[in-house]
Amino acid sequence: MSAAESAVETIQREMTIFARRARASAGRMHPELSLVSYTLLGHLEERDGCRATDLAAHYALDKSTVSRQVAALERAALIERRLDPEDHRVQVLHLTEAGREILAQVTRSRRAAFRERLAEWPEEDLVRFAAYLERYNAGPAGTDGE
Amino acid sequence: MSAAESAVETIQREMTIFARRARASAGRMHPELSLVSYTLLGHLEERDGCRATDLAAHYALDKSTVSRQVAALERAALIERRLDPEDHRVQVLHLTEAGREILAQVTRSRRAAFRERLAEWPEEDLVRFAAYLERYNAGPAGTDGE
DNA sequence: ACTTCAAGTTGTACTATACAACTAGAAACC
DNA sequence: GGTTTCTAGTTGTATAGTACAACTTGAAGT
């Protein structure tokens, strides 16, 4: 096996380990915000509001799933729905103040965990690792599908 | 923000994207073998058989969860239980021939997906990326927990 | 106006998971 | 040697996340 082939094997194995761990720990780390809820809130912050359908399309989730997630987030007062005056079928979703705070808090705590884990890494390696991950994720949707 | 801090941000963001995608696509990619089942079978192959308790400890799963997963894998005839003659509480789990084949088949298909995704990468980058991932996962269980 | 399309909700089912209560067997300790 | 304690595993119950299908409501096209 060439060095390249063996490296691909390793990448596959380690990505699998990471995915499994992330999945197992996602609920335990932030009981107040699942990984999906977190990314939905993040998307709302980034886009400054969007429709449920946009979330479903972007994250390859069924619209019923998004509908229930949105209902839960609204119940928790983390988001609010604003009816689109142009089209009465549409609800534009926005973060509430509380939602913004929770999102920031979870982001801080996640960031702290990553910082700790990467504390010993030289800057040069951090920068290269970050670039590799970006390149990997930017690739054509193959292994996954966004 | 320093280059190191901004790299950590990127690593966090990209790892999150990867984890979310992996989760979303895990079921769709291999309907015959969930990510968890896949890793359980992989562990059995690697260790050439082990106990349910070992699986639970290694993957931080509840023993009841493992018990049900194992029951499903046995029902699918991918593993078999052998009673330990030394200790009648213990069942040593082993892959069956069918289990070995399914595992190999899913491994091949996953490998093909990764290869395709990484096809354009120069060997040098593959090797470095693989090393970074190993280093990341080998770190102290912080963000996750095995 | 009628049909067709789009956004969301609700009913139903399934999977993965945890926690608690339980059974069965092994080990330890007077 | 009998009682207590520990360990392996199963089962009951509950929850979260998910999909698919059927439906409602409103918009757009013909």
mmCIF file of all heavy atoms in Angstrom, chain B residues 28 51-53 63-64 67-68 81 89 91, chain D residues 6-13 17-19:
data_model
loop_
_atom_site.group_PDB
_atom_site.id
_atom_site.type_symbol
_atom_site.label_atom_id
_atom_site.label_comp_id
_atom_site.label_asym_id
_atom_site.label_seq_id
_atom_site.Cartn_x
_atom_site.Cartn_y
_atom_site.Cartn_z
ATOM 1 N N ARG B 28 -28.145 6.903 5.922
ATOM 2 C CA ARG B 28 -28.472 6.826 4.507
ATOM 3 C C ARG B 28 -27.413 6.054 3.719
ATOM 4 O O ARG B 28 -27.730 5.380 2.755
ATOM 5 C CB ARG B 28 -28.595 8.240 3.934
ATOM 6 C CG ARG B 28 -29.873 8.942 4.344
ATOM 7 C CD ARG B 28 -30.060 10.207 3.521
ATOM 8 N NE ARG B 28 -29.542 11.379 4.209
ATOM 9 C CZ ARG B 28 -30.242 12.102 5.060
ATOM 10 N NH1 ARG B 28 -31.484 11.780 5.349
ATOM 11 N NH2 ARG B 28 -29.726 13.150 5.653
ATOM 12 N N ARG B 51 -16.331 -9.169 25.101
ATOM 13 C CA ARG B 51 -17.598 -9.207 25.836
ATOM 14 C C ARG B 51 -18.417 -7.949 25.560
ATOM 15 O O ARG B 51 -17.866 -6.906 25.180
ATOM 16 C CB ARG B 51 -17.322 -9.306 27.335
ATOM 17 C CG ARG B 51 -16.481 -10.484 27.733
ATOM 18 C CD ARG B 51 -16.203 -10.448 29.203
ATOM 19 N NE ARG B 51 -15.631 -9.154 29.600
ATOM 20 C CZ ARG B 51 -15.586 -8.715 30.845
ATOM 21 N NH1 ARG B 51 -16.069 -9.449 31.827
ATOM 22 N NH2 ARG B 51 -15.059 -7.544 31.122
ATOM 23 N N ALA B 52 -19.698 -8.046 25.815
ATOM 24 C CA ALA B 52 -20.577 -6.886 25.637
ATOM 25 C C ALA B 52 -20.140 -5.749 26.552
ATOM 26 O O ALA B 52 -20.133 -4.574 26.160
ATOM 27 C CB ALA B 52 -22.027 -7.277 25.921
ATOM 28 N N THR B 53 -19.740 -6.093 27.748
ATOM 29 C CA THR B 53 -19.301 -5.075 28.708
ATOM 30 C C THR B 53 -18.091 -4.302 28.194
ATOM 31 O O THR B 53 -17.991 -3.087 28.399
ATOM 32 C CB THR B 53 -18.963 -5.752 30.054
ATOM 33 O OG1 THR B 53 -20.163 -6.305 30.589
ATOM 34 C CG2 THR B 53 -18.385 -4.770 31.031
ATOM 35 N N LYS B 63 -24.854 -0.388 29.020
ATOM 36 C CA LYS B 63 -24.856 -1.817 28.715
ATOM 37 C C LYS B 63 -26.170 -2.253 28.116
ATOM 38 O O LYS B 63 -26.216 -3.205 27.330
ATOM 39 C CB LYS B 63 -24.536 -2.618 29.979
ATOM 40 C CG LYS B 63 -25.495 -2.378 31.111
ATOM 41 C CD LYS B 63 -25.033 -3.058 32.391
ATOM 42 C CE LYS B 63 -26.013 -2.771 33.516
ATOM 43 N NZ LYS B 63 -25.861 -3.671 34.657
ATOM 44 N N SER B 64 -27.246 -1.566 28.455
ATOM 45 C CA SER B 64 -28.534 -1.934 27.856
ATOM 46 C C SER B 64 -28.527 -1.633 26.359
ATOM 47 O O SER B 64 -29.059 -2.392 25.555
ATOM 48 C CB SER B 64 -29.678 -1.206 28.540
ATOM 49 O OG SER B 64 -29.622 0.174 28.310
ATOM 50 N N SER B 67 -26.542 -4.263 24.749
ATOM 51 C CA SER B 67 -27.308 -5.509 24.763
ATOM 52 C C SER B 67 -28.273 -5.556 23.588
ATOM 53 O O SER B 67 -28.396 -6.572 22.898
ATOM 54 C CB SER B 67 -28.067 -5.621 26.083
ATOM 55 O OG SER B 67 -28.931 -6.727 26.063
ATOM 56 N N ARG B 68 -28.962 -4.445 23.337
ATOM 57 C CA ARG B 68 -29.935 -4.438 22.240
ATOM 58 C C ARG B 68 -29.248 -4.438 20.884
ATOM 59 O O ARG B 68 -29.705 -5.089 19.941
ATOM 60 C CB ARG B 68 -30.870 -3.247 22.387
ATOM 61 C CG ARG B 68 -31.866 -3.420 23.531
ATOM 62 C CD ARG B 68 -32.821 -2.259 23.651
ATOM 63 N NE ARG B 68 -32.836 -1.691 24.990
ATOM 64 C CZ ARG B 68 -33.741 -1.983 25.922
ATOM 65 N NH1 ARG B 68 -34.716 -2.794 25.663
ATOM 66 N NH2 ARG B 68 -33.683 -1.450 27.111
ATOM 67 N N ARG B 81 -22.809 -15.555 19.856
ATOM 68 C CA ARG B 81 -22.394 -15.515 21.257
ATOM 69 C C ARG B 81 -21.871 -16.897 21.638
ATOM 70 O O ARG B 81 -22.503 -17.897 21.338
ATOM 71 C CB ARG B 81 -23.587 -15.208 22.163
ATOM 72 C CG ARG B 81 -24.453 -14.076 21.675
ATOM 73 C CD ARG B 81 -25.647 -13.928 22.590
ATOM 74 N NE ARG B 81 -26.638 -13.029 22.028
ATOM 75 C CZ ARG B 81 -27.249 -12.071 22.726
ATOM 76 N NH1 ARG B 81 -26.983 -11.924 23.992
ATOM 77 N NH2 ARG B 81 -28.147 -11.295 22.145
ATOM 78 N N ARG B 89 -21.721 -16.168 33.343
ATOM 79 C CA ARG B 89 -22.414 -14.894 33.115
ATOM 80 C C ARG B 89 -21.989 -14.291 31.783
ATOM 81 O O ARG B 89 -22.682 -13.475 31.206
ATOM 82 C CB ARG B 89 -22.050 -13.889 34.219
ATOM 83 C CG ARG B 89 -22.563 -14.237 35.582
ATOM 84 C CD ARG B 89 -21.943 -13.316 36.593
ATOM 85 N NE ARG B 89 -20.471 -13.328 36.512
ATOM 86 C CZ ARG B 89 -19.692 -12.614 37.289
ATOM 87 N NH1 ARG B 89 -20.211 -11.804 38.185
ATOM 88 N NH2 ARG B 89 -18.386 -12.694 37.178
ATOM 89 N N GLN B 91 -20.737 -13.785 27.910
ATOM 90 C CA GLN B 91 -20.890 -14.240 26.535
ATOM 91 C C GLN B 91 -19.780 -13.601 25.722
ATOM 92 O O GLN B 91 -19.696 -12.388 25.667
ATOM 93 C CB GLN B 91 -22.218 -13.767 25.951
ATOM 94 C CG GLN B 91 -23.393 -14.015 26.839
ATOM 95 C CD GLN B 91 -24.621 -13.311 26.323
ATOM 96 O OE1 GLN B 91 -24.522 -12.480 25.432
ATOM 97 N NE2 GLN B 91 -25.764 -13.653 26.866
ATOM 98 P P DC D 6 -20.005 -4.155 46.913
ATOM 99 O OP1 DC D 6 -18.862 -3.366 47.411
ATOM 100 O OP2 DC D 6 -21.360 -3.567 46.813
ATOM 101 O "O5'" DC D 6 -19.600 -4.717 45.481
ATOM 102 C "C5'" DC D 6 -18.420 -5.512 45.382
ATOM 103 C "C4'" DC D 6 -18.524 -6.388 44.149
ATOM 104 O "O4'" DC D 6 -19.620 -7.302 44.291
ATOM 105 C "C3'" DC D 6 -18.802 -5.596 42.858
ATOM 106 O "O3'" DC D 6 -17.708 -5.798 41.981
ATOM 107 C "C2'" DC D 6 -20.108 -6.204 42.327
ATOM 108 C "C1'" DC D 6 -20.148 -7.555 43.017
ATOM 109 N N1 DC D 6 -21.507 -8.147 43.187
ATOM 110 C C2 DC D 6 -21.805 -9.358 42.563
ATOM 111 O O2 DC D 6 -20.944 -9.910 41.868
ATOM 112 N N3 DC D 6 -23.046 -9.903 42.719
ATOM 113 C C4 DC D 6 -23.953 -9.291 43.480
ATOM 114 N N4 DC D 6 -25.143 -9.868 43.612
ATOM 115 C C5 DC D 6 -23.668 -8.052 44.138
ATOM 116 C C6 DC D 6 -22.443 -7.517 43.964
ATOM 117 P P DT D 7 -17.615 -5.028 40.614
ATOM 118 O OP1 DT D 7 -16.174 -4.797 40.336
ATOM 119 O OP2 DT D 7 -18.591 -3.924 40.674
ATOM 120 O "O5'" DT D 7 -18.156 -6.076 39.543
ATOM 121 C "C5'" DT D 7 -17.602 -7.387 39.498
ATOM 122 C "C4'" DT D 7 -18.267 -8.156 38.369
ATOM 123 O "O4'" DT D 7 -19.552 -8.663 38.799
ATOM 124 C "C3'" DT D 7 -18.546 -7.309 37.126
ATOM 125 O "O3'" DT D 7 -18.117 -8.057 36.000
ATOM 126 C "C2'" DT D 7 -20.055 -7.096 37.152
ATOM 127 C "C1'" DT D 7 -20.534 -8.367 37.841
ATOM 128 N N1 DT D 7 -21.817 -8.289 38.572
ATOM 129 C C2 DT D 7 -22.712 -9.311 38.450
ATOM 130 O O2 DT D 7 -22.515 -10.275 37.742
ATOM 131 N N3 DT D 7 -23.860 -9.166 39.178
ATOM 132 C C4 DT D 7 -24.195 -8.117 40.009
ATOM 133 O O4 DT D 7 -25.253 -8.101 40.621
ATOM 134 C C5 DT D 7 -23.200 -7.069 40.111
ATOM 135 C C7 DT D 7 -23.460 -5.885 40.972
ATOM 136 C C6 DT D 7 -22.072 -7.204 39.387
ATOM 137 P P DA D 8 -18.300 -7.508 34.564
ATOM 138 O OP1 DA D 8 -17.131 -7.957 33.778
ATOM 139 O OP2 DA D 8 -18.675 -6.086 34.617
ATOM 140 O "O5'" DA D 8 -19.560 -8.352 34.070
ATOM 141 C "C5'" DA D 8 -19.422 -9.756 33.858
ATOM 142 C "C4'" DA D 8 -20.565 -10.258 33.016
ATOM 143 O "O4'" DA D 8 -21.764 -10.265 33.819
ATOM 144 C "C3'" DA D 8 -20.869 -9.395 31.800
ATOM 145 O "O3'" DA D 8 -21.089 -10.258 30.693
ATOM 146 C "C2'" DA D 8 -22.113 -8.614 32.193
ATOM 147 C "C1'" DA D 8 -22.799 -9.529 33.204
ATOM 148 N N9 DA D 8 -23.497 -8.838 34.279
ATOM 149 C C8 DA D 8 -23.062 -7.756 34.986
ATOM 150 N N7 DA D 8 -23.887 -7.358 35.928
ATOM 151 C C5 DA D 8 -24.936 -8.246 35.839
ATOM 152 C C6 DA D 8 -26.135 -8.377 36.569
ATOM 153 N N6 DA D 8 -26.485 -7.565 37.571
ATOM 154 N N1 DA D 8 -26.972 -9.374 36.221
ATOM 155 C C2 DA D 8 -26.623 -10.196 35.219
ATOM 156 N N3 DA D 8 -25.518 -10.180 34.462
ATOM 157 C C4 DA D 8 -24.714 -9.170 34.827
ATOM 158 P P DG D 9 -21.357 -9.647 29.256
ATOM 159 O OP1 DG D 9 -20.982 -10.639 28.239
ATOM 160 O OP2 DG D 9 -20.807 -8.290 29.210
ATOM 161 O "O5'" DG D 9 -22.944 -9.574 29.255
ATOM 162 C "C5'" DG D 9 -23.670 -10.792 29.435
ATOM 163 C "C4'" DG D 9 -25.123 -10.495 29.718
ATOM 164 O "O4'" DG D 9 -25.255 -9.780 30.939
ATOM 165 C "C3'" DG D 9 -25.839 -9.645 28.671
ATOM 166 O "O3'" DG D 9 -26.719 -10.495 27.946
ATOM 167 C "C2'" DG D 9 -26.573 -8.591 29.482
ATOM 168 C "C1'" DG D 9 -26.496 -9.134 30.899
ATOM 169 N N9 DG D 9 -26.502 -8.084 31.916
ATOM 170 C C8 DG D 9 -25.537 -7.135 32.127
ATOM 171 N N7 DG D 9 -25.819 -6.327 33.114
ATOM 172 C C5 DG D 9 -27.057 -6.765 33.574
ATOM 173 C C6 DG D 9 -27.863 -6.276 34.629
ATOM 174 O O6 DG D 9 -27.645 -5.323 35.388
ATOM 175 N N1 DG D 9 -29.028 -7.020 34.758
ATOM 176 C C2 DG D 9 -29.378 -8.097 33.975
ATOM 177 N N2 DG D 9 -30.535 -8.677 34.244
ATOM 178 N N3 DG D 9 -28.623 -8.560 32.988
ATOM 179 C C4 DG D 9 -27.485 -7.850 32.845
ATOM 180 P P DT D 10 -27.763 -9.929 26.912
ATOM 181 O OP1 DT D 10 -28.062 -11.016 25.969
ATOM 182 O OP2 DT D 10 -27.299 -8.623 26.438
ATOM 183 O "O5'" DT D 10 -29.079 -9.726 27.804
ATOM 184 C "C5'" DT D 10 -29.623 -10.843 28.490
ATOM 185 C "C4'" DT D 10 -30.990 -10.492 29.065
ATOM 186 O "O4'" DT D 10 -30.831 -9.523 30.128
ATOM 187 C "C3'" DT D 10 -31.965 -9.864 28.071
ATOM 188 O "O3'" DT D 10 -33.231 -10.483 28.289
ATOM 189 C "C2'" DT D 10 -31.970 -8.389 28.444
ATOM 190 C "C1'" DT D 10 -31.728 -8.448 29.945
ATOM 191 N N1 DT D 10 -31.072 -7.272 30.558
ATOM 192 C C2 DT D 10 -31.658 -6.652 31.616
ATOM 193 O O2 DT D 10 -32.725 -7.001 32.090
ATOM 194 N N3 DT D 10 -30.945 -5.578 32.126
ATOM 195 C C4 DT D 10 -29.742 -5.106 31.682
ATOM 196 O O4 DT D 10 -29.196 -4.149 32.226
ATOM 197 C C5 DT D 10 -29.169 -5.801 30.556
ATOM 198 C C7 DT D 10 -27.870 -5.365 29.997
ATOM 199 C C6 DT D 10 -29.852 -6.834 30.052
ATOM 200 P P DT D 11 -34.430 -10.242 27.304
ATOM 201 O OP1 DT D 11 -35.152 -11.525 27.227
ATOM 202 O OP2 DT D 11 -33.960 -9.568 26.085
ATOM 203 O "O5'" DT D 11 -35.350 -9.220 28.113
ATOM 204 C "C5'" DT D 11 -35.667 -9.512 29.465
ATOM 205 C "C4'" DT D 11 -36.449 -8.343 30.069
ATOM 206 O "O4'" DT D 11 -35.541 -7.319 30.548
ATOM 207 C "C3'" DT D 11 -37.400 -7.625 29.101
ATOM 208 O "O3'" DT D 11 -38.604 -7.367 29.796
ATOM 209 C "C2'" DT D 11 -36.655 -6.339 28.759
ATOM 210 C "C1'" DT D 11 -35.970 -6.060 30.087
ATOM 211 N N1 DT D 11 -34.770 -5.193 30.034
ATOM 212 C C2 DT D 11 -34.604 -4.279 31.030
ATOM 213 O O2 DT D 11 -35.382 -4.126 31.940
ATOM 214 N N3 DT D 11 -33.455 -3.548 30.923
ATOM 215 C C4 DT D 11 -32.487 -3.624 29.940
ATOM 216 O O4 DT D 11 -31.502 -2.910 29.966
ATOM 217 C C5 DT D 11 -32.733 -4.605 28.911
ATOM 218 C C7 DT D 11 -31.763 -4.777 27.801
ATOM 219 C C6 DT D 11 -33.850 -5.331 29.015
ATOM 220 P P DG D 12 -39.879 -6.788 29.085
ATOM 221 O OP1 DG D 12 -40.984 -7.733 29.368
ATOM 222 O OP2 DG D 12 -39.560 -6.421 27.702
ATOM 223 O "O5'" DG D 12 -40.160 -5.449 29.908
ATOM 224 C "C5'" DG D 12 -40.246 -5.492 31.331
ATOM 225 C "C4'" DG D 12 -40.419 -4.070 31.881
ATOM 226 O "O4'" DG D 12 -39.146 -3.392 31.860
ATOM 227 C "C3'" DG D 12 -41.380 -3.201 31.069
ATOM 228 O "O3'" DG D 12 -42.148 -2.407 31.977
ATOM 229 C "C2'" DG D 12 -40.449 -2.337 30.220
ATOM 230 C "C1'" DG D 12 -39.245 -2.175 31.128
ATOM 231 N N9 DG D 12 -37.978 -1.985 30.427
ATOM 232 C C8 DG D 12 -37.480 -2.728 29.383
ATOM 233 N N7 DG D 12 -36.302 -2.341 28.983
ATOM 234 C C5 DG D 12 -36.003 -1.275 29.807
ATOM 235 C C6 DG D 12 -34.850 -0.446 29.857
ATOM 236 O O6 DG D 12 -33.842 -0.502 29.153
ATOM 237 N N1 DG D 12 -34.956 0.523 30.860
ATOM 238 C C2 DG D 12 -36.029 0.672 31.697
ATOM 239 N N2 DG D 12 -35.951 1.658 32.588
ATOM 240 N N3 DG D 12 -37.102 -0.094 31.667
ATOM 241 C C4 DG D 12 -37.020 -1.042 30.705
ATOM 242 P P DT D 13 -43.359 -1.505 31.448
ATOM 243 O OP1 DT D 13 -44.324 -1.433 32.549
ATOM 244 O OP2 DT D 13 -43.772 -1.962 30.109
ATOM 245 O "O5'" DT D 13 -42.681 -0.072 31.306
ATOM 246 C "C5'" DT D 13 -41.997 0.475 32.432
ATOM 247 C "C4'" DT D 13 -41.316 1.774 32.061
ATOM 248 O "O4'" DT D 13 -40.056 1.519 31.382
ATOM 249 C "C3'" DT D 13 -42.142 2.660 31.111
ATOM 250 O "O3'" DT D 13 -42.229 3.940 31.688
ATOM 251 C "C2'" DT D 13 -41.316 2.674 29.821
ATOM 252 C "C1'" DT D 13 -39.911 2.480 30.358
ATOM 253 N N1 DT D 13 -38.924 1.957 29.388
ATOM 254 C C2 DT D 13 -37.680 2.551 29.330
ATOM 255 O O2 DT D 13 -37.373 3.483 30.045
ATOM 256 N N3 DT D 13 -36.829 2.005 28.413
ATOM 257 C C4 DT D 13 -37.077 0.967 27.555
ATOM 258 O O4 DT D 13 -36.223 0.573 26.775
ATOM 259 C C5 DT D 13 -38.395 0.398 27.656
ATOM 260 C C7 DT D 13 -38.773 -0.748 26.762
ATOM 261 C C6 DT D 13 -39.242 0.907 28.566
ATOM 262 P P DG D 17 -33.224 16.270 20.272
ATOM 263 O OP1 DG D 17 -31.946 16.994 20.421
ATOM 264 O OP2 DG D 17 -34.512 16.986 20.364
ATOM 265 O "O5'" DG D 17 -33.189 15.483 18.902
ATOM 266 C "C5'" DG D 17 -32.175 14.514 18.712
ATOM 267 C "C4'" DG D 17 -32.500 13.683 17.508
ATOM 268 O "O4'" DG D 17 -33.591 12.793 17.809
ATOM 269 C "C3'" DG D 17 -32.948 14.500 16.290
ATOM 270 O "O3'" DG D 17 -32.069 14.175 15.234
ATOM 271 C "C2'" DG D 17 -34.383 14.022 16.038
ATOM 272 C "C1'" DG D 17 -34.373 12.639 16.658
ATOM 273 N N9 DG D 17 -35.670 12.114 17.088
ATOM 274 C C8 DG D 17 -36.580 12.718 17.908
ATOM 275 N N7 DG D 17 -37.652 11.993 18.121
ATOM 276 C C5 DG D 17 -37.429 10.836 17.402
ATOM 277 C C6 DG D 17 -38.237 9.679 17.252
ATOM 278 O O6 DG D 17 -39.343 9.453 17.745
ATOM 279 N N1 DG D 17 -37.639 8.730 16.434
ATOM 280 C C2 DG D 17 -36.409 8.880 15.838
ATOM 281 N N2 DG D 17 -35.979 7.872 15.077
ATOM 282 N N3 DG D 17 -35.639 9.954 15.963
ATOM 283 C C4 DG D 17 -36.208 10.889 16.762
ATOM 284 P P DT D 18 -31.952 15.048 13.932
ATOM 285 O OP1 DT D 18 -30.573 14.905 13.463
ATOM 286 O OP2 DT D 18 -32.509 16.386 14.192
ATOM 287 O "O5'" DT D 18 -32.889 14.296 12.899
ATOM 288 C "C5'" DT D 18 -32.476 13.004 12.452
ATOM 289 C "C4'" DT D 18 -33.635 12.158 12.041
ATOM 290 O "O4'" DT D 18 -34.582 11.977 13.106
ATOM 291 C "C3'" DT D 18 -34.527 12.717 10.951
ATOM 292 O "O3'" DT D 18 -33.860 12.649 9.689
ATOM 293 C "C2'" DT D 18 -35.696 11.745 11.050
ATOM 294 C "C1'" DT D 18 -35.650 11.267 12.510
ATOM 295 N N1 DT D 18 -36.876 11.514 13.276
ATOM 296 C C2 DT D 18 -37.829 10.518 13.308
ATOM 297 O O2 DT D 18 -37.699 9.456 12.730
ATOM 298 N N3 DT D 18 -38.950 10.808 14.036
ATOM 299 C C4 DT D 18 -39.202 11.974 14.723
ATOM 300 O O4 DT D 18 -40.248 12.119 15.351
ATOM 301 C C5 DT D 18 -38.175 12.981 14.646
ATOM 302 C C7 DT D 18 -38.358 14.294 15.358
ATOM 303 C C6 DT D 18 -37.068 12.698 13.938
ATOM 304 P P DA D 19 -34.512 13.205 8.356
ATOM 305 O OP1 DA D 19 -33.478 13.258 7.304
ATOM 306 O OP2 DA D 19 -35.281 14.415 8.702
ATOM 307 O "O5'" DA D 19 -35.542 12.044 7.972
ATOM 308 C "C5'" DA D 19 -35.067 10.701 7.859
ATOM 309 C "C4'" DA D 19 -36.222 9.815 7.442
ATOM 310 O "O4'" DA D 19 -37.167 9.707 8.532
ATOM 311 C "C3'" DA D 19 -36.983 10.347 6.240
ATOM 312 O "O3'" DA D 19 -37.162 9.290 5.305
ATOM 313 C "C2'" DA D 19 -38.305 10.836 6.813
ATOM 314 C "C1'" DA D 19 -38.472 10.020 8.093
ATOM 315 N N9 DA D 19 -39.123 10.762 9.171
ATOM 316 C C8 DA D 19 -38.729 11.953 9.720
ATOM 317 N N7 DA D 19 -39.497 12.391 10.684
ATOM 318 C C5 DA D 19 -40.478 11.416 10.790
ATOM 319 C C6 DA D 19 -41.592 11.287 11.632
ATOM 320 N N6 DA D 19 -41.928 12.175 12.566
ATOM 321 N N1 DA D 19 -42.361 10.187 11.461
ATOM 322 C C2 DA D 19 -42.030 9.297 10.527
ATOM 323 N N3 DA D 19 -41.008 9.310 9.680
ATOM 324 C C4 DA D 19 -40.257 10.411 9.866
#
